[in-house]
Amino acid sequence: MTYAVGVDFGTTNSVIAFANEQGEVRSVSWPTPKGPTQTFRTALMFWKQGRGLGHVAGPQAMERAVAAEEGERFIQSFKTHLASAVFSEARLFGNKVTIEEMVAIFLRHLFEAQGGTQIAAKAWLCAGRPVVFAGERPDEDLAVRRLSDAYAAAGLAQADFAFEPLGAAYWHARHLKRDETVLVADSGGGTSDFALLHFSPSSHGLEAEALAHGGCGVAGDSFDYRLIDHVISPRLGKGASYRSLEKLLPLPAYFHAAFAQWHQISWLKSSKTLGELRRFAEFSDRGGELEALAELIEMDLGFELYQTVGAVKASLSSATEAPLRFCRGGVAIDAQVKRDDFENWIAPDLARIEAALDETLALAKRGVEKIDAVFMTGGTSHIPALRRIFEQRFGAEKLHFDNPFQSVAAGLALLAADRRRRAEKPPVKKRIAQPH
């Protein structure tokens, strides 16, 4: 029987880890055409199947997205909608799918290759959640309720939620031999989360005192937005005008604002939106570029564009410039991106992340000198400009990096095992003094 499970349901990737009673952790893997992977892409592909919907997730959704068959809808970064009261459901091929159902469908696919959710149903399960949810004006209570309902609908009603950076902290601290105050900085796709904890190893295990939590809804997807907004959108009609009643008017900003956000791009693929975009193109001074934008949306090329942008971002972590080339259908983009420009574009996002860090430290009432170690995790932790913020604050010698994609799930599995042991520990019987 599985003893404990950690689930990191991420904006970009999701991970599952199992822990046994001895504290040994195993991250699970999924098959792909290129070999097994330990990260399951947080993506869904839907199509019409009879009166209902067919769907796949993760690597299978990615395969179908690359094939770009007609009559399918690719959806990614949908975790970002959890805290939005504006988004409650989607209409897919005449079927209503709520955000809770969407997440539940994904979770069932996530566990499918591991024998299904029933494998984890009797285990102690710890599920990660952001400290601060992504989106404009996020509603935390709504997001947690939706997340709880989704886990229950997937057959995982026993899910015990914990902040994602707490999981990463447990992973970092698993081999500690002395007291240590640790700051965890978890930067993924949708959020940047912080946790400050004081760990004390003891004969009973690891004791953790939570000092402060914080974060913001800014991370890798925000950086992708800057790349699209500055490099791709200007070549697809951003800033165009159209003629109406002898007047030259600016194109509504909505199209390119939604196009540059991964959680919004799939919803542009509707006959109403595409028809409206093509009508603007007909009377625009840059009609060809807008037609190319419409084709990219209609052909569901969002995932391929995502891969291209992600590759450029990754290249800029080690190179001073990188080519951005995307050629598909009637869309052809060839640009050179300099790291200096990229860092200027993401400067407002970095400022928000740094402000969230300041707030976390202020809540803990701990100065930089009182922090022994900084554990950075999550895919976005590789961005040099982000790392510099922490190097300048704490010194490079205090920074630690380990298992950026699996550390949260692995730590949550350890946390789940720890909570189970404490819950199942028999109560200590008090000795009753006998009368003389």
Side-chain angles (χ1 to χ4, degrees), residues 21-302:
E21 292 185 66
Q22 290 71 45
E24 298 167 332
V25 180
R26 174 177 64 89
S27 292
V28 304
S29 61
W30 295 266
T32 76
K34 295 181 180 179
T37 177
Q38 290 186 318
T39 56
F40 192 89
R41 184 58 59 94
T42 309
L44 287 162
M45 180 69 86
F46 288 95
W47 62 90
K48 188 174 179 60
Q49 187 169 284
R51 293 185 178 181
L53 293 170
H55 43 74
V56 291
Q60 289 180 295
M62 292 159 62
E63 287 178 54
R64 295 184 79 124
V66 172
E69 298 288 339
E70 289 187 16
E72 295 184 330
R73 183 70 67 87
F74 179 73
I75 300 171
Q76 61 180 338
S77 293
F78 49 90
K79 181 182 177 183
T80 306
H81 292 297
L82 279 170
S84 172
V86 176
F87 186 98
S88 61
E89 64 185 48
R91 291 282 175 174
L92 300 171
F93 308 104
N95 292 269
K96 182 183 78 171
V97 182
T98 66
I99 183 63
E100 294 91 338
E101 289 170 337
M102 202 174 292
V103 175
I105 288 169
F106 175 79
L107 289 171
R108 285 194 289 269
H109 281 296
L110 182 68
F111 277 91
E112 192 173 41
Q114 315 308 320
T117 53
Q118 65 271 20
I119 295 294
K122 294 183 179 180
W124 200 288
L125 188 148
C126 203
R129 54 145 293 186
V131 176
V132 175
F133 284 87
E136 294 182 17
R137 297 181 296 278
D139 185 332
E140 180 180 348
D141 292 338
L142 175 65
V144 172
R145 186 167 66 251
R146 284 174 166 177
L147 204 52
S148 298
D149 290 347
Y151 271 86
L156 300 166
Q158 88 284 16
D160 187 15
F161 291 96
F163 290 134
E164 290 157 358
L166 179 59
Y170 256 74
W171 180 252
H172 168 75
R174 68 196 185 282
H175 297 314
L176 282 184
K177 303 298 182 186
R178 60 180 178 82
D179 282 24
E180 190 169 276
T181 299
V182 180
L183 171 70
V184 175
D186 178 14
S187 296
T191 62
S192 292
D193 295 317
F194 304 108
L196 191 62
L197 301 104
H198 182 77
F199 288 100
S200 302
S202 71
S203 58
H204 304 293
L206 196 63
E207 301 292 336
E209 178 190 0
L211 303 175
H213 295 94
C216 61
V218 177
D221 282 2
S222 303
F223 299 166
D224 292 349
Y225 173 89
R226 302 297 180 183
L227 277 168
I228 297 171
D229 194 49
H230 286 274
V231 182
I232 296 174
S233 289
R235 292 166 169 80
L236 293 175
K238 182 189 174 188
S241 300
Y242 71 99
R243 190 165 294 281
S244 176
L245 301 175
E246 304 306 316
K247 291 183 179 180
L248 200 61
L249 302 173
L251 181 79
Y254 163 75
F255 296 105
H256 290 94
F259 169 71
Q261 300 177 77
W262 302 128
H263 66 289
Q264 295 283 0
I265 189 171
S266 60
W267 311 122
L268 291 173
K269 190 181 177 181
S270 70
S271 55
K272 179 182 178 182
T273 303
L274 287 171
E276 187 179 10
L277 180 58
R278 286 193 162 111
R279 282 192 294 274
F280 281 120
E282 187 178 352
F283 299 101
S284 174
D285 56 340
R286 294 163 64 186
E289 294 179 5
L290 294 177
E291 278 291 347
L293 174 62
E295 183 175 350
L296 193 152
I297 295 167
E298 188 171 39
M299 290 179 65
D300 233 343
L301 299 177

Side-chain angles (χ1 to χ4, degrees), residues 20 58 62 69 71 77-78 123 265 277 309 317 331 341 386 388 416:
N20 61 23
M62 292 159 62
E69 298 288 339
S77 293
F78 49 90
I265 189 171
L277 180 58
V309 170
S317 292
V331 182
D341 290 334
L386 181 62
R388 281 201 300 273

